[in-house]
Amino acid sequence: MQTIFIEEKLNHQQILSLCEMIDTNVCKSLEFRRCTIIESDFDVLMKSLSQKNRAIISLIFNIQMINEQNRFKKFIQMLRNCVNLINLRIHANDLTDDMFSQLCTILHEYCPKLTLLDIGDNKLTNKSIVNICSLIVPNEKRSGLEEVILSANRSITNAGWTELFFSISFNSRIRRLALDYNIIDDTLAAMLSMIIASSRTLTHLDLECCQLTEYTGKLFLSLFTKYPVKLREMYLEKNPFLSDSTRTSINECLSLRSRRNSVLNEPPLLSYRRSSIHDDSSSPQSVQNEKSQTVIVKKKTKKKKSNLKEPSENLTKEEIKSVGFNEVKQSHKFVENRKEREDDEDIEELLPVEIQPYGTIERQLYWQRI
């Protein structure tokens, strides 16, 4: 059960009711967003969450919920008992590098199942990148993060982002990455394009309001039109230096790629199974009947061997049926191959007539709003 409180002033009775649900393992996901809780009630809540063997898998304390040092310390102490925690979101809590370092120590030791981390809109700098990278890269104790949200941490420079991209490139399992409301210049965009090209897991990328240039847009478009990347969605709104036509072409290209991948990933003979619903002659029962008819035909031909003038009608029907069954399979393969060729032609139309070489490379999340 998921319990959500958004911009509410919680009283003591509400906190007690919530603690009762936590104590009985009814509540597995808890979300607060810009809520007001007095200090004594916050202590009661942390005490309830701190009980061992809890089933809590998701904790969301967004927007000024644990921004005070005293509350932050109680919060990270509570995390020691959240061994099954998968999703942690602490967006917009004014976390500093020192606070995040304390948090990482707890996460490393007590939260091995953590796969989703939101630390966007805080006060992190390059000093925190090492700790973020340690959570991204999998090891023998943890599988590594699959979703990382680093929105609006503008104190991180190119050196910090480069270190982060190194960790993502090194055997990471990142599926969703949010870098919105940061500054991503052409050099960082080129590094990011290499990650997109090589990653077998990255499917969603948020680059809203990152001051992307038209050069970066053309670079991404060239990548998407030429290579079979796994990326399905890239959010590029609020980048005034990126033309609408380039942004539209990128979205159309990724949409075509996504549709083509879904077709290629269909299980084999799926189209045949669908057609068999409307075609009784290709059903398993009819195939079994055909086999039995074949045996009967052979017996009849043995009995009437001397009569050469009489045509074997049953044998002719059997041959026609077997040929028709093969034609059904071949026709579906032809349709799938033609669909793939059409998708390739649509993608090629997005390319400019003359491809120009690019030379040497010298608020809220769109997929899950906070």
Side-chain angles (χ1 to χ4, degrees):
M1 177 180 176
Q2 183 178 15
T3 307
I4 302 175
F5 300 95
I6 299 178
E7 297 183 359
E8 294 186 35
K9 185 176 182 179
L10 301 178
N11 56 41
H12 183 65
Q13 187 58 44
Q14 287 177 299
I15 295 296
L16 291 179
S17 299
L18 180 58
C19 291
E20 184 178 352
M21 288 192 294
I22 295 172
D23 293 338
T24 55
N25 291 334
V26 174
C27 179
K28 295 186 177 182
S29 178
L30 186 60
E31 177 176 351
F32 296 97
R33 178 182 176 185
R34 207 198 298 269
C35 293
T36 302
I37 306 175
I38 63 175
E39 196 66 27
S40 59
D41 288 340
F42 186 83
D43 293 343
V44 172
L45 178 61
M46 292 297 104
K47 183 178 180 180
S48 178
L49 288 170
S50 297
Q51 300 300 318
K52 293 184 178 180
N53 300 320
R54 293 302 173 199
I56 293 292
I57 61 174
S58 176
L59 289 175
I60 303 175
F61 282 68
N62 284 342
I63 310 179
Q64 306 301 309
M65 289 299 302
I66 53 172
N67 56 313
E68 298 176 2
Q69 282 284 348
N70 187 31
R71 286 197 173 189
F72 178 77
K73 290 181 178 180
K74 294 175 183 177
F75 180 79
I76 61 174
Q77 289 298 320
M78 174 270 298
L79 291 178
R80 290 173 177 267
N81 297 288
C82 296
V83 294
N84 294 314
L85 187 66
I86 296 175
N87 178 26
L88 178 62
R89 301 178 186 270
I90 46 177
H91 196 97
N93 280 290
D94 297 333
L95 297 187
T96 63
D97 293 327
D98 182 60
M99 295 168 71
F100 184 66
S101 177
Q102 298 175 46
L103 174 64
C104 278
T105 302
I106 300 296
L107 295 179
H108 270 292
E109 188 170 353
Y110 299 101
C111 302
K113 298 181 180 180
L114 186 70
T115 56
L116 295 89
L117 180 64
D118 179 1
I119 47 175
D121 203 6
N122 284 297
K123 297 180 179 180
L124 305 182
T125 68
N126 291 354
K127 294 180 180 179
S128 294
I129 293 295
V130 175
N131 289 320
I132 298 172
C133 293
S134 65
L135 294 172
I136 290 176
V137 178
N139 55 34
E140 64 278 1
K141 294 183 179 180
R142 55 188 309 113
S143 59
L145 296 177
E146 296 181 6
E147 180 176 326
V148 179
I149 301 171
L150 286 167
S151 313
N153 282 289
R154 294 208 165 196
S155 296
I156 300 177
T157 65
N158 278 20
W161 294 124
T162 302
E163 185 71 23
L164 177 72
F165 294 164
F166 286 164
S167 68
I168 295 175
S169 300
F170 179 74
N171 194 29
S172 73
R173 302 170 62 236
I174 294 293
R175 294 184 297 107
R176 298 172 182 263
L177 179 63
L179 303 176
D180 51 313
Y181 290 88
N182 290 298
I183 300 175
I184 306 295
D185 61 16
D186 291 341
T187 303
L188 290 177
M191 297 180 188
L192 198 53
S193 67
M194 296 299 293
I195 292 176
I196 296 171
S198 60
S199 176
R200 300 294 89 190
T201 57
L202 184 63
T203 57
H204 294 76
L205 181 61
D206 190 350
L207 295 176
E208 178 185 2
C209 195
C210 287
Q211 299 184 14
L212 301 182
T213 64
E214 183 67 10
Y215 171 87
T216 295
K218 293 292 185 181
L219 185 67
F220 286 147
L221 183 59
S222 177
L223 170 63
F224 300 151
T225 53
K226 295 177 183 178
Y227 300 98
V229 299
K230 291 293 183 180
L231 193 70
R232 295 202 304 264
E233 287 188 63
M234 175 183 280
Y235 197 67
L236 298 171
E237 298 300 320
K238 298 183 181 179
N239 285 291
F241 302 112
L242 183 64
S243 66
D244 292 337
S245 60
T246 300
R247 181 166 53 247
T248 302
S249 297
I250 290 173
N251 291 334
E252 290 177 353
C253 184
L254 289 176
S255 178
L256 288 171
R257 287 290 185 192
S258 179
R259 291 205 305 269
R260 182 186 178 188
N261 289 337
S262 63
V263 170
L264 294 177
N265 291 332
E266 285 186 357
L269 297 180
L270 181 60
S271 56
Y272 162 66
R273 291 170 187 164
R274 290 174 179 171
S275 64
S276 64
I277 297 175
H278 306 286
D279 187 5
D280 294 335
S281 63
S282 60
S283 64
Q285 184 66 31
S286 63
V287 172
Q288 186 176 359
N289 293 335
E290 289 174 11
K291 291 181 179 180
S292 61
Q293 288 176 5
T294 304
V295 175
I296 296 171
V297 168
K298 289 180 180 179
K299 290 181 179 179
K300 287 182 179 180
T301 52
K302 287 181 180 180
K303 290 181 180 180
K304 299 183 179 181
K305 187 174 182 180
S306 60
N307 191 357
L308 300 175
K309 295 182 180 181
E310 184 175 350
S312 180
E313 294 179 358
N314 293 333
L315 182 60
T316 304
K317 290 180 180 180
E318 175 61 27
E319 291 174 352
I320 292 172
K321 285 185 178 180
S322 62
V323 171
F325 178 73
N326 291 332
E327 286 178 350
V328 170
K329 293 168 67 177
Q330 291 175 1
S331 63
H332 285 294
K333 289 182 180 179
F334 174 76
V335 170
E336 291 180 358
N337 292 334
R338 186 174 64 182
K339 189 171 184 180
E340 291 178 14
R341 289 197 300 270
E342 289 176 355
D343 287 344
D344 288 337
E345 290 174 359
D346 292 339
I347 292 173
E348 289 174 358
E349 288 178 359
L350 297 175
L351 285 169
V353 177
E354 295 182 0
I355 304 174
Q356 299 295 333
Y358 295 107
T360 304
I361 304 301
E362 299 206 324
R363 176 96 122 91
Q364 294 174 341
L365 296 178
Y366 75 99
W367 65 75
Q368 186 177 3
R369 296 290 172 179
I370 297 170

